[in-house]
Amino acid sequence: MEGAGYRVVFEKVGVYLHTSARKHQDPDSLIAGVIRVVEKDNDVLLHWAPVEEAGDSTQILFSKKETTGGDPCTSEEEPTFDPGYEPDWAVISTVRPRPHCSEPTRGAEPSSPRGSWAFSVSLGELKSIRRSKPGLSWAYLVLVTQAGGSLPALHFHRGGTRALLRVLSRYLLLASSPQDSRLYLVFPHDSSALSNSCHHLQLFDQDSSNVVSRFLQDPYSTTFSSFSRVTNFFRGALQPHPEEGASPDLPLPPEDEPEPGFEVISCVELGPRPAVERASPVTEEEWARHLGPEGRLQQVSELKARIFSGGLSPGLRREAWKFLLGYLSWEGSSEEHKAHVRKKTDEYFRMKLQWKSVSPEQERRNSLLHGYRSLIERDVSRTDRTNKFYEGPENPGLSLLNDILLTYCMYHFDLGYVQGMSDLLSPILYVTQNEVDAFWCFCGFMELVHGNFEESQETMKRQLGQLLLLLRVLDPPLCDFLDSQDSGSLCFCFRWLLIWFKREFPFPDVLRLWEVLWTGLPGPNLHLLVACAILDMERDTLMLSGFGSNEILKHINELTMKLSVEDVLTRAEALYHQLTACPELPHNVQEVLGLAPPTEPHSPSPPISPLPLSPTRTPPAPAPPLDTAPQPDSSLEILPEDEEEENAHP
């Protein structure tokens, strides 16, 4: 189709905008329109207009309109939307777009309210294109401009995404991410422009996968402020195909991938979220009632359930944490505990002597030990220094932190010391106030989380995938929103999972959170539901704010010390019960919650989105028995009197 100075090279009807965040769509919330690619005045434009505004395409002038004071396209007060909304296929525009407005049809009346959603953008202004996940009821595309804003998501109810991408590939080079096949980075066919773009971003002057890897391995020296640049390209460590411009090489979806029509594929239907109430902490008197004649704990399952529902009183933590972290056996007697502690004390000091006996001259020839010592000294000097227990230049607690971490390098040669471990040891030493007890309790904690610090980062990748899996079932609209803002990888949750929310809550709240998580109740991976609970609490702020990826990262980082641990734990438990009550819970979600054995025990990562497999509920496998060797007595008591944890400064 041609006219004076322009040519329509592509046109597709049945392309909708979803403008409502409500669960039940009203007729005005779905705006049907026409998408066109138009060549005009040595430029190529992508234009969308509602059907009532589309008119005869021969009569549309595809020119950008100057913004003036009387421009009817100037946006008025932006509407707000209720976030309560629709199922798995929903990707909506939660803020009014601010696009380039197309000229009205000749002789037409001023645009209707729906006409304000029309937009026209030059292909040269596009930065990236994201496709929807396969298996939804229809496909959608999200276009991101060079200015960083997202255009309204285009929902192709009658198919056509592949055809549009093929047409766009005539004018643009679409570089696919090898790790995210749904994301295309847009470049002009001018190879020098492509090279300059990569140089400007400083993403490809070195191996981009190493950029991400270094951040994952060293999340504290690579600060969150610098992470904002990586976030925009985190999903792919993108590697453009430098000299491929022909459309046959475009990495499009397979030809047999269906692009269904308007039929809605229903997502997992969860029941109502139950009300949950937290209990009071377990007191020393209640703990004593569980002790038998020989000092053996009785009714351990009931005791763990009480710790899960209420936590521990501060005076009881010093004793109870040794059991929760596997240092003392739940089944052992008092005499067995004492014998076990004597044995572990000797073992600890033998390992400590190994590095203590290394002379300065020897250490100069041992770069590994010297590197560990330097890193530990640097980290210890800035760990929880606002806490009274660690404040001051000559604090004995700092020396013990240093010694315990160096001894752990002797205990676990393969792992050694990695930044972040000092954050995990600090609360344990604060509670136990004993060097040997703190070391073995720390070893028990590291048995749970040592994978977080491995160089391969496979454990962290798997946990982020599992977190996304749970969130996709619990709140598909929130997932779609984050996905549309290039934040669907949930990389802003990395620090949460790495050190179990140590820097997100005040110090006394961290003690309560950890002892609840250490019970292993109500199933494995409760820490992932804690992350879901925080995101659930912040969903309205995120979805109604119009945040981009950098603003989302900034908002999440600013939640530090502003969260209530009791509110988060209450919500996390409610989410667990809501999920487990669903009779059609996908099998891979059951695996994450411990309701079914893993199909592949050593598979690296779960699928990114839940697969609607038939649920085959299997009771969780019983936890392996804790070490039943005899256990007990303590050594090297710290001189300062311990204080109530609630009075500690975070």
PDB file of all heavy atoms in Angstrom, residues 402-420:
ATOM      1  N   ASN A 402      37.842 -13.254  63.271  1.00  0.00           N
ATOM      2  CA  ASN A 402      38.989 -13.489  62.401  1.00  0.00           C
ATOM      3  C   ASN A 402      39.520 -14.911  62.568  1.00  0.00           C
ATOM      4  O   ASN A 402      39.768 -15.629  61.585  1.00  0.00           O
ATOM      5  CB  ASN A 402      40.072 -12.465  62.719  1.00  0.00           C
ATOM      6  CG  ASN A 402      41.300 -12.610  61.843  1.00  0.00           C
ATOM      7  OD1 ASN A 402      41.363 -12.066  60.746  1.00  0.00           O
ATOM      8  ND2 ASN A 402      42.299 -13.342  62.319  1.00  0.00           N
ATOM      9  N   ASP A 403      39.691 -15.345  63.810  1.00  0.00           N
ATOM     10  CA  ASP A 403      40.266 -16.671  64.068  1.00  0.00           C
ATOM     11  C   ASP A 403      39.340 -17.790  63.590  1.00  0.00           C
ATOM     12  O   ASP A 403      39.795 -18.795  63.024  1.00  0.00           O
ATOM     13  CB  ASP A 403      40.543 -16.840  65.565  1.00  0.00           C
ATOM     14  CG  ASP A 403      41.697 -15.964  66.039  1.00  0.00           C
ATOM     15  OD1 ASP A 403      42.299 -15.263  65.180  1.00  0.00           O
ATOM     16  OD2 ASP A 403      41.988 -15.956  67.246  1.00  0.00           O
ATOM     17  N   ILE A 404      38.054 -17.642  63.837  1.00  0.00           N
ATOM     18  CA  ILE A 404      37.106 -18.688  63.427  1.00  0.00           C
ATOM     19  C   ILE A 404      37.075 -18.828  61.909  1.00  0.00           C
ATOM     20  O   ILE A 404      37.059 -19.940  61.368  1.00  0.00           O
ATOM     21  CB  ILE A 404      35.704 -18.372  63.989  1.00  0.00           C
ATOM     22  CG1 ILE A 404      35.695 -18.499  65.510  1.00  0.00           C
ATOM     23  CG2 ILE A 404      34.656 -19.300  63.386  1.00  0.00           C
ATOM     24  CD1 ILE A 404      34.414 -17.995  66.163  1.00  0.00           C
ATOM     25  N   LEU A 405      37.078 -17.708  61.201  1.00  0.00           N
ATOM     26  CA  LEU A 405      37.013 -17.768  59.736  1.00  0.00           C
ATOM     27  C   LEU A 405      38.296 -18.343  59.145  1.00  0.00           C
ATOM     28  O   LEU A 405      38.249 -19.101  58.166  1.00  0.00           O
ATOM     29  CB  LEU A 405      36.726 -16.370  59.179  1.00  0.00           C
ATOM     30  CG  LEU A 405      35.326 -15.831  59.472  1.00  0.00           C
ATOM     31  CD1 LEU A 405      35.216 -14.355  59.072  1.00  0.00           C
ATOM     32  CD2 LEU A 405      34.258 -16.653  58.762  1.00  0.00           C
ATOM     33  N   LEU A 406      39.451 -18.010  59.730  1.00  0.00           N
ATOM     34  CA  LEU A 406      40.701 -18.605  59.250  1.00  0.00           C
ATOM     35  C   LEU A 406      40.736 -20.106  59.540  1.00  0.00           C
ATOM     36  O   LEU A 406      41.217 -20.904  58.721  1.00  0.00           O
ATOM     37  CB  LEU A 406      41.890 -17.908  59.895  1.00  0.00           C
ATOM     38  CG  LEU A 406      42.384 -16.638  59.198  1.00  0.00           C
ATOM     39  CD1 LEU A 406      43.413 -15.911  60.058  1.00  0.00           C
ATOM     40  CD2 LEU A 406      42.968 -16.959  57.830  1.00  0.00           C
ATOM     41  N   THR A 407      40.207 -20.509  60.688  1.00  0.00           N
ATOM     42  CA  THR A 407      40.154 -21.940  60.999  1.00  0.00           C
ATOM     43  C   THR A 407      39.201 -22.665  60.061  1.00  0.00           C
ATOM     44  O   THR A 407      39.440 -23.830  59.699  1.00  0.00           O
ATOM     45  CB  THR A 407      39.730 -22.141  62.465  1.00  0.00           C
ATOM     46  OG1 THR A 407      40.610 -21.396  63.319  1.00  0.00           O
ATOM     47  CG2 THR A 407      39.790 -23.612  62.856  1.00  0.00           C
ATOM     48  N   TYR A 408      38.142 -22.001  59.661  1.00  0.00           N
ATOM     49  CA  TYR A 408      37.226 -22.637  58.708  1.00  0.00           C
ATOM     50  C   TYR A 408      37.931 -22.912  57.379  1.00  0.00           C
ATOM     51  O   TYR A 408      37.612 -23.888  56.696  1.00  0.00           O
ATOM     52  CB  TYR A 408      35.988 -21.755  58.483  1.00  0.00           C
ATOM     53  CG  TYR A 408      34.952 -22.417  57.602  1.00  0.00           C
ATOM     54  CD1 TYR A 408      34.104 -23.392  58.111  1.00  0.00           C
ATOM     55  CD2 TYR A 408      34.834 -22.087  56.253  1.00  0.00           C
ATOM     56  CE1 TYR A 408      33.164 -24.023  57.310  1.00  0.00           C
ATOM     57  CE2 TYR A 408      33.898 -22.706  55.444  1.00  0.00           C
ATOM     58  CZ  TYR A 408      33.069 -23.672  55.973  1.00  0.00           C
ATOM     59  OH  TYR A 408      32.141 -24.297  55.171  1.00  0.00           O
ATOM     60  N   CYS A 409      38.886 -22.073  56.996  1.00  0.00           N
ATOM     61  CA  CYS A 409      39.656 -22.337  55.777  1.00  0.00           C
ATOM     62  C   CYS A 409      40.443 -23.632  55.900  1.00  0.00           C
ATOM     63  O   CYS A 409      40.660 -24.330  54.905  1.00  0.00           O
ATOM     64  CB  CYS A 409      40.604 -21.172  55.481  1.00  0.00           C
ATOM     65  SG  CYS A 409      39.779 -19.619  55.081  1.00  0.00           S
ATOM     66  N   MET A 410      40.886 -23.967  57.125  1.00  0.00           N
ATOM     67  CA  MET A 410      41.560 -25.243  57.357  1.00  0.00           C
ATOM     68  C   MET A 410      40.557 -26.398  57.369  1.00  0.00           C
ATOM     69  O   MET A 410      40.886 -27.518  56.979  1.00  0.00           O
ATOM     70  CB  MET A 410      42.306 -25.216  58.700  1.00  0.00           C
ATOM     71  CG  MET A 410      43.357 -24.115  58.837  1.00  0.00           C
ATOM     72  SD  MET A 410      44.763 -24.314  57.712  1.00  0.00           S
ATOM     73  CE  MET A 410      44.394 -23.058  56.472  1.00  0.00           C
ATOM     74  N   TYR A 411      39.360 -26.124  57.830  1.00  0.00           N
ATOM     75  CA  TYR A 411      38.311 -27.154  57.905  1.00  0.00           C
ATOM     76  C   TYR A 411      37.760 -27.496  56.522  1.00  0.00           C
ATOM     77  O   TYR A 411      37.494 -28.648  56.218  1.00  0.00           O
ATOM     78  CB  TYR A 411      37.194 -26.656  58.823  1.00  0.00           C
ATOM     79  CG  TYR A 411      35.964 -27.525  58.875  1.00  0.00           C
ATOM     80  CD1 TYR A 411      35.933 -28.677  59.650  1.00  0.00           C
ATOM     81  CD2 TYR A 411      34.808 -27.180  58.166  1.00  0.00           C
ATOM     82  CE1 TYR A 411      34.796 -29.478  59.711  1.00  0.00           C
ATOM     83  CE2 TYR A 411      33.671 -27.965  58.216  1.00  0.00           C
ATOM     84  CZ  TYR A 411      33.670 -29.116  58.985  1.00  0.00           C
ATOM     85  OH  TYR A 411      32.539 -29.896  59.031  1.00  0.00           O
ATOM     86  N   HIS A 412      37.597 -26.470  55.679  1.00  0.00           N
ATOM     87  CA  HIS A 412      37.013 -26.676  54.347  1.00  0.00           C
ATOM     88  C   HIS A 412      37.977 -26.087  53.316  1.00  0.00           C
ATOM     89  O   HIS A 412      37.800 -24.965  52.857  1.00  0.00           O
ATOM     90  CB  HIS A 412      35.644 -26.004  54.261  1.00  0.00           C
ATOM     91  CG  HIS A 412      34.773 -26.530  53.163  1.00  0.00           C
ATOM     92  ND1 HIS A 412      35.240 -26.782  51.883  1.00  0.00           N
ATOM     93  CD2 HIS A 412      33.449 -26.856  53.133  1.00  0.00           C
ATOM     94  CE1 HIS A 412      34.256 -27.223  51.129  1.00  0.00           C
ATOM     95  NE2 HIS A 412      33.161 -27.292  51.867  1.00  0.00           N
ATOM     96  N   PHE A 413      39.008 -26.865  52.978  1.00  0.00           N
ATOM     97  CA  PHE A 413      40.034 -26.371  52.068  1.00  0.00           C
ATOM     98  C   PHE A 413      39.456 -25.983  50.715  1.00  0.00           C
ATOM     99  O   PHE A 413      39.871 -25.001  50.099  1.00  0.00           O
ATOM    100  CB  PHE A 413      41.121 -27.438  51.870  1.00  0.00           C
ATOM    101  CG  PHE A 413      42.070 -27.569  53.016  1.00  0.00           C
ATOM    102  CD1 PHE A 413      41.960 -28.636  53.905  1.00  0.00           C
ATOM    103  CD2 PHE A 413      43.071 -26.637  53.226  1.00  0.00           C
ATOM    104  CE1 PHE A 413      42.832 -28.760  54.971  1.00  0.00           C
ATOM    105  CE2 PHE A 413      43.957 -26.757  54.291  1.00  0.00           C
ATOM    106  CZ  PHE A 413      43.833 -27.822  55.171  1.00  0.00           C
ATOM    107  N   ASP A 414      38.515 -26.771  50.206  1.00  0.00           N
ATOM    108  CA  ASP A 414      37.999 -26.534  48.856  1.00  0.00           C
ATOM    109  C   ASP A 414      37.265 -25.206  48.754  1.00  0.00           C
ATOM    110  O   ASP A 414      37.373 -24.505  47.742  1.00  0.00           O
ATOM    111  CB  ASP A 414      37.058 -27.677  48.436  1.00  0.00           C
ATOM    112  CG  ASP A 414      37.799 -28.974  48.212  1.00  0.00           C
ATOM    113  OD1 ASP A 414      39.029 -28.911  47.972  1.00  0.00           O
ATOM    114  OD2 ASP A 414      37.162 -30.045  48.279  1.00  0.00           O
ATOM    115  N   LEU A 415      36.513 -24.866  49.773  1.00  0.00           N
ATOM    116  CA  LEU A 415      35.723 -23.635  49.727  1.00  0.00           C
ATOM    117  C   LEU A 415      36.503 -22.439  50.252  1.00  0.00           C
ATOM    118  O   LEU A 415      36.469 -21.355  49.666  1.00  0.00           O
ATOM    119  CB  LEU A 415      34.428 -23.809  50.527  1.00  0.00           C
ATOM    120  CG  LEU A 415      33.423 -22.659  50.478  1.00  0.00           C
ATOM    121  CD1 LEU A 415      32.990 -22.390  49.030  1.00  0.00           C
ATOM    122  CD2 LEU A 415      32.204 -22.969  51.340  1.00  0.00           C
ATOM    123  N   GLY A 416      37.233 -22.640  51.349  1.00  0.00           N
ATOM    124  CA  GLY A 416      37.996 -21.532  51.923  1.00  0.00           C
ATOM    125  C   GLY A 416      37.093 -20.434  52.450  1.00  0.00           C
ATOM    126  O   GLY A 416      36.037 -20.696  53.033  1.00  0.00           O
ATOM    127  N   TYR A 417      37.497 -19.189  52.232  1.00  0.00           N
ATOM    128  CA  TYR A 417      36.693 -18.043  52.664  1.00  0.00           C
ATOM    129  C   TYR A 417      36.215 -17.272  51.445  1.00  0.00           C
ATOM    130  O   TYR A 417      36.972 -17.024  50.505  1.00  0.00           O
ATOM    131  CB  TYR A 417      37.491 -17.100  53.567  1.00  0.00           C
ATOM    132  CG  TYR A 417      36.684 -15.884  53.957  1.00  0.00           C
ATOM    133  CD1 TYR A 417      35.723 -15.960  54.957  1.00  0.00           C
ATOM    134  CD2 TYR A 417      36.844 -14.668  53.279  1.00  0.00           C
ATOM    135  CE1 TYR A 417      34.949 -14.857  55.287  1.00  0.00           C
ATOM    136  CE2 TYR A 417      36.077 -13.565  53.611  1.00  0.00           C
ATOM    137  CZ  TYR A 417      35.131 -13.665  54.611  1.00  0.00           C
ATOM    138  OH  TYR A 417      34.351 -12.579  54.925  1.00  0.00           O
ATOM    139  N   VAL A 418      34.945 -16.906  51.478  1.00  0.00           N
ATOM    140  CA  VAL A 418      34.336 -16.099  50.424  1.00  0.00           C
ATOM    141  C   VAL A 418      33.607 -14.951  51.101  1.00  0.00           C
ATOM    142  O   VAL A 418      33.026 -15.119  52.192  1.00  0.00           O
ATOM    143  CB  VAL A 418      33.357 -16.928  49.559  1.00  0.00           C
ATOM    144  CG1 VAL A 418      32.752 -16.072  48.450  1.00  0.00           C
ATOM    145  CG2 VAL A 418      34.050 -18.146  48.970  1.00  0.00           C
ATOM    146  N   GLN A 419      33.651 -13.796  50.480  1.00  0.00           N
ATOM    147  CA  GLN A 419      32.970 -12.641  51.060  1.00  0.00           C
ATOM    148  C   GLN A 419      31.501 -12.950  51.330  1.00  0.00           C
ATOM    149  O   GLN A 419      30.820 -13.546  50.507  1.00  0.00           O
ATOM    150  CB  GLN A 419      33.074 -11.446  50.115  1.00  0.00           C
ATOM    151  CG  GLN A 419      34.430 -10.782  50.146  1.00  0.00           C
ATOM    152  CD  GLN A 419      34.472  -9.549  49.272  1.00  0.00           C
ATOM    153  OE1 GLN A 419      34.101  -9.599  48.111  1.00  0.00           O
ATOM    154  NE2 GLN A 419      34.936  -8.444  49.810  1.00  0.00           N
ATOM    155  N   GLY A 420      31.043 -12.526  52.478  1.00  0.00           N
ATOM    156  CA  GLY A 420      29.674 -12.801  52.912  1.00  0.00           C
ATOM    157  C   GLY A 420      29.624 -13.764  54.076  1.00  0.00           C
ATOM    158  O   GLY A 420      28.667 -13.762  54.856  1.00  0.00           O
TER     159      GLY A 420
END
